[in-house]
Amino acid sequence: SASKMNNMEIPRAAPLLLLLLGLASPASALSASSPLVRARVAAATAPAVHASPLLRRLHPPVASAATLQQPDAAASTAAVAPEDEWIARVDLAAFGKECRELGSRLEKGQGEADVKHLKRMILWSNLCGAVGVATMWMKPNFISVMGLSLWTMSRWTMIAHHTCHGGYNKQDDGTGRFTSLGFALGSVQRRAMDWLDWMLPEAWNVEHNNLHHFRTGEPGDPDLVERNLVTMRDFPLPAKLKYVAVAAVAAMWKWFYYAPNTYKQLRMHEMRRNGEEIPSSVDKHDPFTIGKFLPGMASEAPALGYNFVDYMRKVAGPFMLIRFLLLPAPLLLVNPLFFRRAVVNLLLADVMSNLHSFVIIATNHCGDDLYAFQNSVTPKSPSFFMRQVITSVNFRTSNGIRKDGTARPVHGITADANDFMHGWLNYQIEHHLWPDLSMLSYQKAAPLVRNLCAKHGVPYVQESVWLRLGKTISIIAGRTSMRRYPAAFNRPQDMVA
């Protein structure tokens, strides 16, 4: 039974291995499809204020009549926790209106300066790559590994991220390369030139730009850490061993989870676009890890029309071939030893890039001071704008914050260096309010959004990435949970039925 499972003793030599196997296997006793988790999902979707964590990907729920009833402010305040009382005092319509107006002003203010800034960041990224490639023939060393790692990270989180969102569409030079319809899409050659990583760009665009951004913190959000790592949260293991397991996952998360899961989302998107029905055997929101390709696993891949060979040919294979074989191959003409050293440096850089990206990505929407939601809202509605703020967190931004809580002005090279090392993901609040702006626009927007939130009494969370990492690990280890947004405060006209 579930109670016996939680109390069972595990041999000291086995627990960490069992946990990692459980993360890879949908048949795990504590996987998202187990009876124990289904029971906790039922508890999570109950109307209690401090319900259990939402542990399973569900289809976005239909808002019930009870959910859509808006009580008077006094009754609402009495029914919720003190830390949630601010919700009753917010004028959502006014907040949403000012968010739309500010986003419009920022978009209209973009121009040649944003293009020059993008080119400068591309130069910085390429310089990192040049240093790494030029030295990778040496014995494994920090300079080579860091250069290659920063090259990979910045190409994804900064250049591809903002370009694929359309941040530079209106500043297109006529080539269409740095636009959402052209960057890294259409061929292996284009992918290799623009953004080469474990993920297929077309798949990432579907999973991230559509699902994550329009369902942030909701059951349909594919990046909801609390739910995706339910096995680790509930596994009967000492906290210290869970921390080791978190580090192991962080070192391989792009190829272990992110690349195969984004491809699953792409395949379902293609089926819908072609008028095909998703088979009932497929859990649309269940995370797809590389372990599901192993024999005997309950993989959804065959039902979606692909297998491991297809995945390797289209997604992971081109990256592995180009990055770990073709890139260092010229060194074979000089000395085979140099080639072997280069491969080791490239592999170490990949681990470093996984760790770096995990720290600045997994922490964006995770912590016991951020909200998770049970229902969906209409994009760009007042509730949507508020949700993007209260389920996201900023790290140290270019302007920084004075001791009195006010923002300092943006400051050139130092600002860009800070933001570069954060992968420009330190403006997560502003990015989720307006995903299709440039990197430079987010630097300008941060102090304005902070003041706007202060004016309307909407919590604006900003902390060091290391503090946020601690909060994220606490969520993953099951020590804390995301804050539940009280359904009684849902704005009826913003809800998706």
Side-chain angles (χ1 to χ4, degrees):
S1 68
S3 60
K4 290 181 179 179
M5 185 181 301
N6 284 334
N7 295 322
M8 67 181 179
E9 294 185 1
I10 300 177
R12 292 181 180 270
L16 189 57
L17 177 60
L18 288 174
L19 174 55
L20 292 175
L21 288 174
L23 290 172
S25 168
S28 167
L30 287 173
S31 73
S33 59
S34 72
L36 174 59
V37 172
R38 284 200 297 269
R40 295 189 179 184
V41 169
T45 55
V49 174
H50 292 294
S52 301
L54 184 61
L55 301 177
R56 174 175 161 80
R57 293 182 186 223
L58 305 172
H59 301 290
V62 176
S64 65
T67 299
L68 296 182
Q69 290 177 354
Q70 182 72 31
D72 61 82
S76 299
T77 303
V80 299
E83 59 267 26
D84 298 330
E85 292 178 359
W86 64 269
I87 304 171
R89 298 188 290 269
V90 175
D91 185 340
L92 263 182
F95 179 72
K97 180 176 181 291
E98 291 199 51
C99 283
R100 281 191 294 271
E101 292 173 349
L102 177 55
S104 178
R105 291 199 303 272
L106 290 165
E107 181 182 7
K108 290 177 181 177
Q110 291 192 182
E112 186 59 30
D114 299 86
V115 175
K116 289 181 178 178
H117 182 265
L118 171 64
K119 290 180 178 179
R120 182 160 71 245
M121 294 303 98
I122 292 174
L123 175 62
W124 287 18
S125 177
N126 289 343
L127 286 174
C128 290
V131 169
V133 171
T135 60
M136 65 184 181
W137 60 273
M138 300 178 181
K139 291 181 179 180
N141 64 92
F142 179 79
I143 293 177
S144 299
V145 170
M146 199 63 187
L148 292 166
S149 174
L150 286 174
W151 180 36
T152 302
M153 181 276 295
S154 59
R155 203 72 191 181
W156 172 24
T157 66
M158 292 170 49
I159 300 167
H161 186 193
H162 298 94
T163 301
C164 291
H165 268 296
Y168 302 94
N169 281 6
K170 293 184 179 180
Q171 289 77 48
D172 179 29
D173 59 3
T175 64
R177 181 182 180 187
F178 290 96
T179 68
S180 57
L181 297 178
F183 193 78
L185 304 177
S187 68
V188 173
Q189 180 183 2
R190 190 75 268 157
R191 181 182 173 188
M193 291 288 293
D194 292 344
W195 171 32
L196 183 66
D197 211 323
W198 287 101
M199 300 77 67
L200 182 68
E202 289 86 347
W204 183 81
N205 284 346
V206 169
E207 190 269 1
H208 178 81
N209 294 0
N210 296 337
L211 296 176
H212 171 60
H213 268 271
F214 290 107
R215 293 290 179 263
T216 313
E218 299 173 4
D221 183 359
D223 298 336
L224 197 58
V225 173
E226 183 183 62
R227 189 247 347 274
N228 288 350
L229 290 171
V230 58
T231 303
M232 190 176 296
R233 283 174 60 82
D234 287 358
F235 205 85
L237 197 65
K240 291 182 179 180
L241 286 180
K242 286 190 176 184
Y243 299 154
V244 174
V246 171
V249 170
M252 60 182 181
W253 77 285
K254 285 196 288 184
W255 61 262
F256 177 76
Y257 155 72
Y258 208 43
N261 194 60
T262 54
Y263 189 62
K264 171 191 171 181
Q265 297 298 332
L266 174 64
R267 289 294 301 129
M268 291 192 294
H269 173 76
E270 291 173 338
M271 291 179 70
R272 294 189 193 99
R273 189 176 57 191
N274 295 333
E276 302 175 48
E277 187 174 342
I278 307 297
S280 59
S281 61
V282 175
D283 186 331
K284 299 181 180 67
H285 305 298
D286 197 42
F288 192 103
T289 65
I290 198 70
K292 286 193 175 184
F293 284 121
L294 294 173
M297 296 299 179
S299 173
E300 308 102 304
L304 296 175
Y306 70 100
N307 55 33
F308 180 70
V309 174
D310 297 323
Y311 169 78
M312 289 299 298
R313 180 170 58 86
K314 297 177 181 178
V315 184
F319 171 75
M320 296 172 68
L321 177 65
I322 296 171
R323 178 57 55 90
F324 301 119
L325 183 60
L326 296 184
L327 182 61
L331 292 173
L332 287 170
L333 301 176
V334 181
N335 188 331
L337 176 62
F338 293 168
F339 172 81
R340 293 194 294 271
R341 288 175 176 174
V343 171
V344 172
N345 276 314
L346 287 163
L347 290 171
L348 291 174
D350 188 69
V351 173
M352 176 67 76
S353 178
N354 270 274
L355 290 169
H356 191 169
S357 60
F358 182 89
V359 168
I360 59 177
I361 292 176
T363 52
N364 286 154
H365 307 282
C366 194
D368 59 0
D369 52 353
L370 300 181
Y371 284 87
F373 313 96
Q374 300 172 18
N375 307 86
S376 297
V377 294
T378 304
K380 299 186 179 180
S381 64
S383 294
F384 177 84
F385 284 122
M386 183 187 69
R387 285 187 176 197
Q388 303 316 301
V389 175
I390 64 176
T391 194
S392 305
V393 61
N394 278 16
F395 310 137
R396 184 186 187 279
T397 49
S398 62
N399 50 290
I401 303 300
R402 299 187 181 96
K403 290 183 178 180
D404 63 1
T406 59
R408 298 187 181 94
V410 176
H411 51 90
I413 297 298
T414 304
D416 285 345
N418 172 79
D419 298 344
F420 186 92
M421 293 306 295
H422 284 91
W424 234 270
L425 298 176
N426 46 332
Y427 298 95
Q428 199 65 196
I429 293 173
E430 292 73 26
H431 175 61
H432 268 257
L433 286 171
W434 314 289
D436 54 352
L437 295 182
S438 69
M439 288 182 279
L440 185 59
S441 287
Y442 294 130
Q443 287 184 335
K444 299 174 182 177
L448 302 176
V449 174
R450 187 180 182 90
N451 291 338
L452 178 61
C453 290
K455 172 183 175 181
H456 287 276
V458 176
Y460 183 102
V461 180
Q462 181 171 19
E463 286 187 315
S464 159
V465 67
W466 303 114
L467 291 177
R468 299 312 304 184
L469 178 61
K471 287 181 178 290
T472 300
I473 292 175
S474 184
I475 292 283
I476 295 174
R479 296 178 59 192
T480 58
S481 299
M482 298 282 287
R483 185 177 295 176
R484 261 56 210 172
Y485 186 83
F489 285 108
N490 285 331
R491 190 171 185 256
Q493 57 266 48
D494 295 344
M495 304 307 294
V496 174

